[in-house]
Amino acid sequence: MSSNKRRKLDKASAPNNISAFAARRLLKAGQYAGEGGQKIPSNDGKPAADSQQQELLKDVALRISDDATDSLAAGFRQSPDSDKHGNDYGEVVEASGYPSDASVHDQEADMKLTNSRKSREPEDAALSQQPAPQWTTLKPNEGNVKESEDGSLWIEVTHRERLVVLGQYRLSVIKGQITILGATLSASQKEYEVYALSSHSLPVIRSLSRSYGAQIRLHQCDTGLHSLKHLSPLFHRLSNEDYRHLRHSGLEVEGSKPIRSSTFHILYSTNTNGTRSYMWPLTSPPEWNEAMATIISSQKRPRKPAITTVCGPKSSGKSTFSKLLINRLITTTPGSHCGVAFLDLDPGQPEYSPPGHLSLIHLLQPDFGPPYSHPDSSCGMNKLIRAHSIGAVSPSANPDLYMACVTDLLNHYNDLASSNPGCSLVINTPGWVLGTGLELLISLIKLACPTEIVYMSTEGPWDVVNSLKDTAGSIPVLTVPSQLSEFATRTAAHLRIMQMMSYFHLRGDRHESSLWSSTPVTSMPPWEVKYTGKGAGIFGIMSLGEQPAPCMLGAAINGSILSVVAIDSEAAIEGFMKDQLDGSSQQPSEEHNVEDDGYQHCRGSRPPIIIETPEKIPYFNPANSTTFVPQHSRVLGLALLRGIDIKQKMLQLLSPVSAEIVAECTEAGKSLILISGKLDTPGWAYTEELNRKVAEEKRRRKNQTTDVSEDSDGSQVEDDLDGNTATQVKNVFERVPWIEKLKGHEGRGVGARIWRVRRDLGRSGDGGGH
């Protein structure tokens, strides 16, 4: 009988399928030797596995881990309570955590990875060939490690030793000098917050004192960031929260008193036995160190401050290199008291602002954490100079607006440099270096006139490198290798979600010990903003990108994230002043018609700048493709539109923007506009309540079975929901908008996917034809 399935000819016969347990046992038996150094034989006296079978078993084991794994001006008021909405589009999957190194967590068969197995297959062999990560080499004893009753650790690190710590802690240097993430820290009373979390490479602490070593203290630090794990599985397993005391490579220091829990623990060197490690210590290649030394030496010369542009392809290490460079400039250069200006021009992966923002920040302290540990630049001693929103995570949405924002930010840096002559500038650019992206990069170089250009790749594209060198002229272009490619437990989209969640859960008082709130956003009381009539809180709503018709604006922006922008005057709106002089802005003399397409058109003259939607919402007429002028505006932050009260003519907004900032703008006579763009859909906000209920139920069941868990050596409680919890989850889904629950492999039907506009990039001719 013939078969319609394709078959490969001359293929070796496939091995028999074996279970995960059997594969691990065979692999262990084939790799680990006994006291005599020989492989453990099988029952028939032969070696348990030959070299070919060993490779096969390694591959099987790897694939098992893959598959299983805040008085406001008129128009603003705070709602006294909040009707809970609810929770992510489509199916909600409860994750049990993310993979990490085997020396920290026991490898579990239910670990879930973020990429598909097929896309990772080429990486498996390369990662398995990499040497095992070098963790802490310090050997704890009574003389170099002491634990206090408050849980802090006193540690002495010699010159040749390295210290890698996982978790959150406050670091202080008691004696000597140390280096961490490019910064050089000397003995002082300062304490630095460090977020060494598994989503990024972990910082390494080394001593710079060759003769007597360095003495440091690690303090417990609980800022509330870990509490977000109850609202999203993306915040699971950022650090090992299962540890109930500090471990020192399995050894307990005599005289130490273990505390009940700790926000950090030390990682020790381990042999991963050829398997992949999902955490990795941060390494700086020699070429990176040479480039940073060149930049710092130029900073010491008596001339204008160094302006460094960091560019390169995606995922090449631009943000990491910028962080190391800034930390070194702040802590080692003579003008470090002036700080360093950081121009973040990557709207997709910003460092000190939420996604979609371009910002200029004056940094006065080193940075020891991932972007979601400081999503607002107002945290700490740093100062936000100016920021703009382009309403998208890529400059491709509106290149002209992007360059206008860049020009304004560079002008503000020039003002800052005039008052702080020693303040250098580091510019981080997006990873878009081809086509229009290269044109934007060349325009940026011409505007900024940098002293050095760092290109983060030694593998091209060479036409891009040559174009940069031609544009730079006498400006040195330093070409350095990309960051070592390593397996990421979270994608760029996941990190944007974490950045957004961290931003919206920031507490209003940044001086509290706990910076983040674990309350779901749907349970937070919103700001009620009057959008029309006397005392309206906003001037209007502007849409960037695909602009919906007025009749569809309310549905399009409800439940989405908007940018809150303060405008100095009407001059911030393109064409507004001209229409004011012509008398056609609000009360046009010509006849206006609303066509079948929902747009308001004007016969014989330009359409009005602002029109009203059926809900009476002031809307910048999309027929004009109106945008804002960056020189006369600035973004205050983001807001989630929770709902529209048509009867009261109110917008319900959730935003971490403080009341003082809004009051300051309104008292200064500035108006506020809301900008809708192409930011990611906040599906995380819809499901936080659901994830919280699931987490509470798991904790309740775990508390009920504490004795059983202890008797079984800490085995995990089942993640399956009981009947009551399942009913609660069902009720949550029934009353939550924008949520659809799918069962099993049920799909969403034809037309359920997002329709994306195809743009002609000139690849198929001038006319875009085929």
Side-chain angles (χ1 to χ4, degrees), residues 47 52 62 138 142 263 272 288 327 360 418 475 495 592 595:
Q52 182 177 3
L62 288 178
L138 177 144
E142 296 181 2
T263 62
T272 57
W288 287 26
N327 287 346
L360 175 64
S418 62
I475 302 173
L495 293 176
H592 297 79
E595 304 290 352

Side-chain angles (χ1 to χ4, degrees), residues 94 282 324 336 531 765:
E94 181 188 348
L282 181 64
L324 295 175
S336 59
Y531 59 76

Side-chain angles (χ1 to χ4, degrees), residues 107-378:
Q107 296 291 348
E108 300 174 9
D110 62 345
M111 290 181 174
K112 294 179 175 60
L113 306 182
T114 57
N115 296 339
S116 65
R117 179 180 68 180
K118 182 177 180 180
S119 63
R120 292 196 304 269
E121 286 180 353
E123 298 180 5
D124 289 350
L127 287 173
S128 62
Q129 293 174 0
Q130 294 179 2
Q134 292 296 316
W135 302 114
T136 299
T137 58
L138 177 144
K139 301 301 180 182
N141 55 57
E142 296 181 2
N144 59 12
V145 178
K146 296 180 181 180
E147 183 177 350
S148 303
E149 293 184 357
D150 60 355
S152 62
L153 281 182
W154 175 92
I155 303 176
E156 184 173 10
V157 185
T158 63
H159 176 64
R160 296 184 178 275
E161 293 177 333
R162 51 190 281 139
L163 181 66
V164 184
V165 182
L166 175 66
Q168 305 175 39
Y169 56 93
R170 299 195 315 274
L171 170 65
S172 60
V173 182
I174 302 174
K175 182 180 179 181
Q177 278 188 334
I178 65 168
T179 177
I180 175 175
L181 278 177
T184 299
L185 307 181
S186 302
S188 67
Q189 298 297 324
K190 292 182 179 180
E191 292 183 357
Y192 304 90
E193 288 188 358
V194 181
Y195 294 83
L197 305 175
S198 62
S199 59
H200 293 70
S201 298
L202 303 181
V204 180
I205 302 176
R206 292 186 178 92
S207 172
L208 296 179
S209 305
R210 294 179 177 270
S211 57
Y212 49 84
Q215 298 178 8
I216 63 174
R217 184 174 292 275
L218 306 181
H219 306 264
Q220 298 293 322
C221 180
D222 186 4
T223 58
L225 181 62
H226 71 282
S227 64
L228 298 184
K229 68 178 183 179
H230 304 306
L231 305 179
S232 171
L234 290 176
F235 286 88
H236 285 187
R237 295 293 180 90
L238 291 178
S239 60
N240 197 336
E241 298 148 4
D242 295 333
Y243 279 71
R244 291 298 176 181
H245 56 80
L246 300 177
R247 288 189 177 181
H248 308 291
S249 186
L251 301 176
E252 289 297 333
V253 180
E254 294 185 8
S256 65
K257 299 179 180 180
I259 60 175
R260 181 180 180 183
S261 63
S262 176
T263 62
F264 66 89
H265 70 273
I266 302 175
L267 294 181
Y268 286 86
S269 297
T270 179
N271 183 3
T272 57
N273 298 312
T275 60
R276 293 174 300 173
S277 173
Y278 300 105
M279 288 190 300
W280 207 266
L282 181 64
T283 58
S284 177
E287 296 86 352
W288 287 26
N289 298 329
E290 293 176 5
M292 285 185 281
T294 301
I295 296 172
I296 291 176
S297 62
S298 65
Q299 173 70 8
K300 297 178 181 180
R301 298 172 186 170
R303 59 188 181 102
K304 71 174 186 177
I307 300 178
T308 305
T309 299
V310 182
C311 56
K314 295 180 180 179
S315 304
S316 58
K318 297 182 298 295
S319 298
T320 303
F321 182 88
S322 299
K323 180 178 295 186
L324 295 175
L325 176 60
I326 291 173
N327 287 346
R328 186 169 296 187
L329 287 171
I330 290 178
T331 59
T332 61
T333 57
S336 59
H337 61 278
C338 298
V340 176
F342 180 53
L343 182 55
D344 196 349
L345 301 182
D346 186 358
Q349 299 291 331
E351 183 71 28
Y352 294 95
S353 60
H357 285 189
L358 310 180
S359 57
L360 175 64
I361 306 101
H362 189 195
L363 302 174
L364 298 174
Q365 63 184 10
D367 174 18
F368 300 129
Y372 58 83
S373 66
H374 43 252
D376 188 354
S377 57
S378 62

